[in-house]
Amino acid sequence: MPRRGFWINPTHTARHLRDNEERRIQICRRIDRSGFNWQVWAVAGSGFFTDSYNLFATNVILPSLAFIYWTSDVSHSHETTINAVTLAGSCVGQLVFGFLADKYGRRKLYGIELIIVIIGTIGVCQSSSGVDGSMSIMGWILFYRLLMGIGIGGEYPLSAVITAEFAPTRSRARMMAAVFLMQPLGQLAAHLVGLFVVLGVGRARGLPALTAPEDHDAAAAIVDSIWRCVIGVGAFPALVAIIFRLTIPESPRFTLDVEYDANRALLDTQTYYKSRESVDFQDNAVEELGTLRNPALTQADADGPWGSDYSLQDGSIYDILKQNAIQSIITVSIGSVLGSLILIKAINYIPRKSILAWSFLGLAALLAITGGTFFKAFHSNLHALTITFYVLCQLLFNLGPNTLTFILPAEIFPTRYRCTCHGIAAAAGKLGSVLVLVFLPHVDFNGVDVNSPNSNGLGWVLVIFSGFMALGAVFAWAWIPNVQNVRTAGDSQLPSKTLEELAVGRIGVVGEAAELGFRKKTMGVWKRVRWQHA
């Protein structure tokens, strides 16, 4: 409550607080009366799809850029730098937009990040080396990818928090999981667009026939138009998403808890839900569909088990681009989409904390097995075994940590700091990804560089990643609070706690607070074991 003088009448203050609580109850009841909010899902999901497409489109176009502009670079330093700069920009965007959304409001920031993405997209499409190399195309691409990364990063806290604050308690987890489904779908769309553009533009302009060394310049002109088309497509869903974002008001929880304007918060809520009563859907529509962000799989997720060594593949650039798209769809996108769909169905039936911890453990085991099969399959005809396990890793990754580290930070923090804390959690994952990208090319095993075709280093990398996944399981077990209540008799679902319950922190969950933390958790397990054997 704003202070207007040195003396505050305690009677008026108590009445004001009581009125605020009454308004809060009315607002929460009105939100909870609605079902799965398809409008909020469309607003958040469209932006998340757009940002996912633009983020993963980088990996689609990297072979094209390497073919045209840096054919002599065998170290792939250009590709690593572009990815690292994009992810670094995402870190900045997550932190900055998270903080600003808590300071100025969600709606005032919501859409600005997409405008930044559009500017970055158009800028990358127009990047050029000038006349006779008068400019550095690498410099232009890095600048606009950094800008685009900032916009992409801003989407994470904004989409997650707006969805959480507008969602009914019983539908909150499912709505947020459905929003995150847009990430693997955006990734899949990027690879599909890349494939269709290669098949369409490439064939129409005779790219498959340009295989001789003397045909490089002619092929480069065609490939140059292909990668610009793939990137440019990302601007169109961003425009649609901006239009969607004009349809929702400021989050009533922000208006109430941060701006202390309970009357406006209640009026906005009533006006918004009255305008959409005719299109309200219930949860059964989705039933029919069937803060520990671990960075370890991000680089592997980008490249798949083949890595990014385009020079190792036989055939023309047309064959390389086509094969890259098909391989990425099979190894990365299909497993990721299936994992997200399974979680949407199961998320209300299993404790989210348990899903996170056990999926981390499952990934630790799968990555260790996948690394082991890589040693066996190295330079043999057993590579299908490694690919199969890698697809399972992607499925479990989106079934657990990738999605849940998007959902949980938007649930467990108070309104005043919710976007900031979500941005910090998301930025931690991107920072880990940047570190992997920067340091991995400098790692060698038995004196052989990890990127060398004669190195089995990827197997060791996967084994090392499994250790990070095991560490993630420990963190989830020891420090993540439960966000669901116990299952009631006759109900198969676990009811979610309200954001208001979770916002008070440890004092709101007295029984559980004594067991939060690694030492307390370990002591609790030890006491239970001793009691059972007493």
Side-chain angles (χ1 to χ4, degrees):
M1 177 179 172
R3 185 173 179 178
R4 296 177 180 173
F6 292 103
W7 168 253
I8 299 178
N9 189 320
T11 304
H12 292 167
T13 302
R15 186 182 303 117
H16 177 82
L17 293 175
R18 186 170 60 251
D19 290 344
N20 271 8
E21 285 306 307
E22 291 175 356
R23 300 289 189 276
R24 183 190 304 279
I25 292 171
Q26 290 177 278
I27 290 169
C28 292
R29 283 179 177 172
R30 184 62 193 89
I31 292 175
D32 285 342
R33 281 207 309 271
S34 66
F36 188 99
N37 194 324
W38 290 95
Q39 184 180 5
V40 171
W41 173 80
V43 169
S46 59
F48 213 67
F49 174 88
T50 297
D51 288 344
S52 174
Y53 177 95
N54 284 286
L55 180 64
F56 292 105
T58 307
N59 302 298
V60 177
I61 69 169
L62 283 178
S64 300
L65 294 175
F67 178 77
I68 301 168
Y69 299 108
W70 40 82
T71 54
S72 60
D73 179 15
V74 295
S75 67
H76 306 290
S77 60
H78 292 86
E79 292 92 322
T80 300
T81 304
I82 291 172
N83 271 324
V85 166
T86 304
L87 292 172
S90 295
C91 282
V92 174
Q94 287 159 346
L95 294 171
V96 171
F97 275 85
F99 171 77
L100 293 178
D102 280 337
K103 184 175 179 63
Y104 297 107
R106 287 73 162 116
R107 193 175 190 275
K108 290 178 181 177
L109 275 295
Y110 213 28
I112 293 178
E113 82 284 5
L114 288 178
I115 294 174
I116 294 174
V117 169
I118 292 173
I119 294 172
T121 300
I122 295 173
V124 172
C125 286
Q126 294 180 331
S127 296
S128 170
S129 56
V131 178
D132 295 327
S134 61
M135 297 187 296
S136 169
I137 188 169
M138 184 66 175
W140 283 113
I141 290 176
L142 290 179
F143 172 77
Y144 283 114
R145 287 300 296 183
L146 176 66
L147 188 66
M148 187 187 297
I150 293 173
I152 290 171
E155 185 70 27
Y156 280 76
L158 288 170
S159 288
V161 169
I162 283 180
T163 304
E165 293 181 348
F166 270 102
T169 302
R170 68 179 180 274
S171 303
R172 185 178 67 235
R174 185 160 284 153
M175 280 182 61
M176 295 186 71
V179 168
F180 195 83
L181 172 64
M182 295 298 104
Q183 185 185 83
L185 288 180
Q187 185 180 21
L188 176 61
H191 292 301
L192 287 174
V193 169
L195 179 61
F196 293 153
V197 173
V198 168
L199 295 177
V201 176
R203 281 181 178 174
R205 299 179 62 179
L207 184 61
L210 301 176
T211 58
E214 59 268 20
D215 294 329
H216 179 273
D217 290 344
I222 301 172
V223 173
D224 191 62
S225 64
I226 288 174
W227 77 259
R228 294 179 194 274
C229 287
V230 173
I231 290 294
V233 167
F236 293 102
L239 290 171
V240 174
I242 288 176
I243 296 172
F244 274 130
R245 298 197 169 176
L246 300 175
T247 64
I248 62 170
E250 179 59 83
S251 163
R253 285 183 163 97
F254 176 86
T255 305
L256 178 64
D257 293 333
V258 180
E259 295 185 333
Y260 301 107
D261 193 340
N263 291 327
R264 182 163 67 88
L266 179 60
L267 179 62
D268 286 347
T269 304
Q270 292 172 337
T271 303
Y272 171 72
Y273 282 99
K274 184 177 293 184
S275 68
R276 62 179 298 276
E277 279 177 352
S278 60
V279 293
D280 239 353
F281 292 90
Q282 296 302 315
D283 267 340
N284 56 7
V286 181
E287 290 280 351
E288 298 300 320
L289 286 178
T291 301
L292 295 168
R293 191 168 279 272
N294 195 305
L297 286 187
T298 302
Q299 175 60 13
D301 183 61
D303 297 328
W306 288 277
S308 55
D309 195 346
Y310 321 120
S311 63
L312 302 181
Q313 305 186 50
D314 298 324
S316 67
I317 183 63
Y318 174 84
D319 296 324
I320 292 173
L321 296 177
K322 184 175 71 171
Q323 196 62 29
N324 272 358
I326 294 172
Q327 289 173 349
S328 297
I329 290 170
I330 294 172
T331 59
V332 178
S333 299
I334 292 177
S336 298
V337 171
L338 286 176
S340 291
L341 288 173
I342 293 171
L343 184 63
I344 290 174
K345 179 64 178 177
I347 196 166
N348 284 338
Y349 296 91
I350 309 172
R352 293 196 273 287
K353 176 177 178 175
S354 298
I355 298 175
L356 182 61
W358 284 107
S359 59
F360 266 130
L361 279 179
L363 279 167
L366 268 177
L367 284 171
I369 294 171
T370 306
T373 61
F374 186 86
F375 297 134
K376 183 68 175 177
F378 187 60
H379 285 175
S380 73
N381 58 358
L382 297 176
H383 60 273
L385 185 63
T386 301
I387 294 170
T388 301
F389 278 111
Y390 190 84
V391 172
L392 291 175
C393 287
Q394 293 302 320
L395 187 151
L396 190 55
F397 193 42
N398 265 45
L399 178 60
N402 204 24
T403 305
L404 290 174
T405 51
F406 172 80
I407 295 174
L408 288 170
E411 294 185 297
I412 62 178
F413 296 109
T415 305
R416 179 176 291 276
Y417 309 109
R418 187 169 288 131
C419 272
T420 300
C421 292
H422 194 287
I424 293 172
K430 291 296 184 287
L431 178 60
S433 303
V434 172
L435 293 176
V436 170
L437 279 168
V438 171
F439 289 108
L440 192 60
H442 303 286
V443 175
D444 62 66
F445 295 91
N446 299 320
V448 182
D449 188 88
V450 70
N451 287 325
S452 170
N454 296 315
S455 171
N456 62 355
L458 181 58
W460 290 112
V461 170
L462 293 175
V463 172
I464 293 171
F465 282 174
S466 72
F468 282 97
M469 292 298 164
L471 186 63
V474 173
F475 274 83
W477 169 70
W479 284 284
I480 297 294
N482 282 319
V483 295
Q484 291 153 283
N485 293 308
V486 289
R487 188 180 282 109
T488 57
D491 191 358
S492 60
Q493 295 192 15
L494 283 167
S496 296
K497 296 178 181 179
T498 66
L499 293 180
E500 285 68 30
E501 287 180 275
L502 294 167
V504 298
R506 293 190 174 209
I507 62 174
V509 281
V510 177
E512 185 183 46
E515 296 184 356
L516 283 180
F518 181 76
R519 184 179 62 84
K520 292 178 180 179
K521 279 281 189 181
T522 305
M523 291 299 296
V525 171
W526 173 246
K527 288 178 181 178
R528 285 193 291 272
V529 171
R530 289 186 62 186
W531 179 82
Q532 290 175 357
H533 290 83

